[in-house]
Amino acid sequence: MKKDEAFERRMRELVEDLEQTKGDLARAYNRFDYTVEPELVEACVYEISAIQSRYSYLMRKIKEHHAAAAAMQSAKGEKKWV
């Protein structure tokens, strides 16, 4: 497999993970909105925090991946915007 194909595949995986995480976050907020038991509210807060951390991680990785792809194209002498 070529490097470009591997980069594209990894970017697709990251974006898919990000979309899954967005859904997870929406469901966690929904649970939080309808939870009344104090212990469960606390669990929802921790869950939301964990998902937000995962979301931030994925966004950082996507940005790093994008920058690496741009650097690879620049090194090849391509003038394509990524």
Side-chain angles (χ1 to χ4, degrees):
M1 183 181 315
K2 294 180 181 179
K3 274 189 177 182
D4 291 344
E5 291 173 5
F7 260 69
E8 289 177 29
R9 189 185 84 234
R10 179 64 180 144
M11 181 61 94
R12 280 192 307 274
E13 290 171 356
L14 288 169
V15 170
E16 287 172 11
D17 287 348
L18 186 66
E19 291 301 317
Q20 174 77 35
T21 301
K22 284 180 185 179
D24 292 345
L25 189 57
R27 286 185 290 280
Y29 274 118
N30 190 46
R31 275 190 298 280
F32 176 80
D33 289 341
Y34 293 100
T35 300
V36 293
E37 296 296 323
E39 296 88 2
L40 296 178
V41 169
E42 186 176 346
C44 288
V45 170
Y46 284 119
E47 181 182 16
I48 289 168
S49 179
I51 295 169
Q52 287 174 329
S53 292
R54 185 169 72 227
Y55 183 88
S56 295
Y57 167 80
L58 290 168
M59 286 299 295
R60 187 174 62 254
K61 286 299 182 185
I62 288 170
K63 288 176 183 177
E64 289 171 1
H65 188 78
H66 184 30
M72 281 180 50
Q73 286 184 343
S74 177
K76 290 180 183 178
E78 297 178 14
K79 298 201 184 247
K80 178 180 171 185
W81 289 95
V82 178

